[in-house]
Amino acid sequence: MKYLDEYRDPQTAQLLLDEIRRITTRHWTLMEVCGGQTHSLLRHGIAAELEGTVELIHGPGCPVCVTDQAAIDFACQLAHREEIVLASFGDMLRVPGSHGSLLDAQATGAHIQIVYSPSDAVELARKHPETEFVFFAVGFETTAPATALAVKQAARYQLENFSLIVSHVRVQPAMESLVQAPDNRVQAFLAAGHVCTVMGYESYESFVNQYQLPVVVTGFEPLDLLDGILACVKQLEANEAMLENRYARTVQAAGNRAAQDLVQEIYQVCDRAWRGFGVIPKGGLELRPEWQQFDALLRFNKPEIPVIKRDECQSFEVMTGQIKPPECPHFGKHCTPESPLGAPMVSSEGACAAYYRYGVTTTP
């Protein structure tokens, strides 16, 4: 299959593995930021192959996992109101809030509609003007352009029954939060290729200069990941810290200017609470004042809802690389995809889900 098989060639993968082992003189700890990369590393056995040479720890790059619990509680509350239908991606439905998930809420009569794009929610609102539709807008810079487009569509249709719970988050502020933590273990980053496809990678220059950590933009196929790991190790062994783009077939330095302009038109940067992390400065996006008629927080006057913390889930420790999923005492026992304690076991990009899905029950 052209454009896929060539990035999964076993012989080339073996050559890259051999080269990584050959040049490595000490233990290095790398973090892949994106949950999609975590799944690929586990699926193709790369983390296990590098055991004892390079340790791969898993970052906060799962938007469902980091969506603030208070936002889920608000979504559940709105979905129970008679006049409202909450539209959401399917991944969000099983993530636990303070009093259960959206799926639990649906079982008790809440009005919830799974959609596959923000535009689907706009279309529902257009076809059913008698009903309020609230779209639960989660995701990184990769999905923000699609919800920005939905806002413009809603404005063009002059919809008065469409709004959003905006929970978009930004990757780089989270990376800064990680490296500033006193227990930081990250020595180099594999940057998420799809985010860089939209945002470019120029902004990482200042990050690399400030923190003196290698950042290598990397794709998702096995050879992409091995090539990125090799580039990181080469820099670390040479005591260098540079920004490299190893995903040039997709990522350009400036990114997608049209998508960035659309996001810039609809959103502004804000501080945002990340689940487990607390508030990350400049860690999110919110609607600009001129688009706030579509903000569900304002339209429905969000009340103060006490958040009940779930201490049993160690998702924060997993998403900051302090532990691997099998090190959690609940992994595969009290916490499974069928009965999750936290978001990383539910989401298709969650680290715990990756370990469970690919049967990795020990720490590679």
Side-chain angles (χ1 to χ4, degrees), residues 77-342:
Q77 186 191 63
L78 289 184
H80 271 112
R81 290 176 56 160
E82 188 62 32
E83 75 278 19
I84 294 175
V85 171
L86 185 97
S88 171
F89 297 137
D91 265 13
M92 282 304 306
L93 261 61
R94 298 179 60 222
V95 179
S98 294
H99 303 285
S101 64
L102 284 165
L103 199 61
D104 295 328
Q106 190 176 40
T108 59
H111 312 112
I112 295 168
Q113 175 75 50
I114 293 177
V115 293
Y116 298 97
S117 76
S119 294
D120 288 348
V122 172
E123 192 61 17
L124 285 168
R126 193 178 68 81
K127 290 181 176 176
H128 304 280
E130 73 286 359
T131 303
E132 287 276 354
F133 284 87
V134 179
F135 177 64
F136 198 175
V138 304
F140 291 101
E141 291 92 333
T142 44
T143 54
T147 56
L149 183 62
V151 170
K152 294 199 70 171
Q153 288 174 326
R156 186 166 65 251
Y157 293 141
Q158 299 182 326
L159 296 182
E160 296 181 352
N161 63 329
F162 176 79
S163 58
L164 307 96
I165 300 174
V166 179
S167 294
H168 286 301
V169 289
R170 302 174 67 234
V171 168
Q172 193 165 321
M175 292 168 62
E176 293 175 1
S177 174
L178 283 169
V179 299
Q180 291 170 355
D183 53 358
N184 170 52
R185 300 177 59 218
V186 183
Q187 294 172 298
F189 282 103
L190 300 176
H194 53 2
V195 170
C196 294
T197 300
V198 176
M199 301 305 295
Y201 57 85
E202 294 169 329
S203 65
Y204 284 119
E205 286 283 4
S206 58
F207 179 90
V208 169
N209 291 334
Q210 181 175 355
Y211 298 107
Q212 288 299 296
L213 294 177
V215 173
V216 177
V217 180
T218 310
F220 300 85
E221 295 300 325
L223 299 193
D224 292 324
L225 291 161
L226 287 167
D227 184 53
I229 293 167
L230 177 59
C232 284
V233 173
K234 283 182 176 177
Q235 289 193 45
L236 291 167
E237 290 286 341
N239 194 29
E240 295 175 340
M242 298 185 298
L243 172 62
E244 291 186 57
N245 177 21
R246 307 299 294 183
Y247 198 32
R249 70 179 184 277
T250 298
V251 175
Q252 305 298 317
N256 184 329
R257 291 292 195 196
Q260 293 170 32
D261 289 345
L262 183 58
V263 170
Q264 178 74 13
E265 179 184 352
I266 303 298
Y267 296 112
Q268 61 188 12
V269 172
C270 67
D271 299 342
R272 165 123 313 140
W274 286 49
R275 187 169 183 143
F277 286 72
V279 175
I280 295 181
K282 300 181 180 180
L285 297 171
E286 65 182 8
L287 291 169
R288 289 186 176 278
E290 55 267 40
W291 300 100
Q292 285 183 347
Q293 71 269 31
F294 297 109
D295 190 337
L297 291 174
L298 300 177
R299 181 176 298 190
F300 301 106
N301 192 25
K302 179 178 178 293
E304 288 298 323
I305 307 173
V307 173
I308 300 173
K309 297 293 183 184
R310 291 171 167 263
D311 295 332
E312 65 270 37
C313 178
Q314 295 188 301
S315 58
F316 173 73
E317 289 80 0
V318 171
M319 290 188 291
T320 54
Q322 296 177 35
I323 66 170
K324 302 287 180 62
E327 295 176 74
C328 172
H330 304 295
F331 177 81
K333 300 171 185 171
H334 306 300
C335 183
T336 66
E338 292 73 30
S339 182
L341 292 178

Side-chain angles (χ1 to χ4, degrees), residues 352-363:
C352 299
Y355 276 72
Y356 191 91
R357 180 175 183 180
Y358 299 112
V360 182
T361 56
T362 58
T363 56

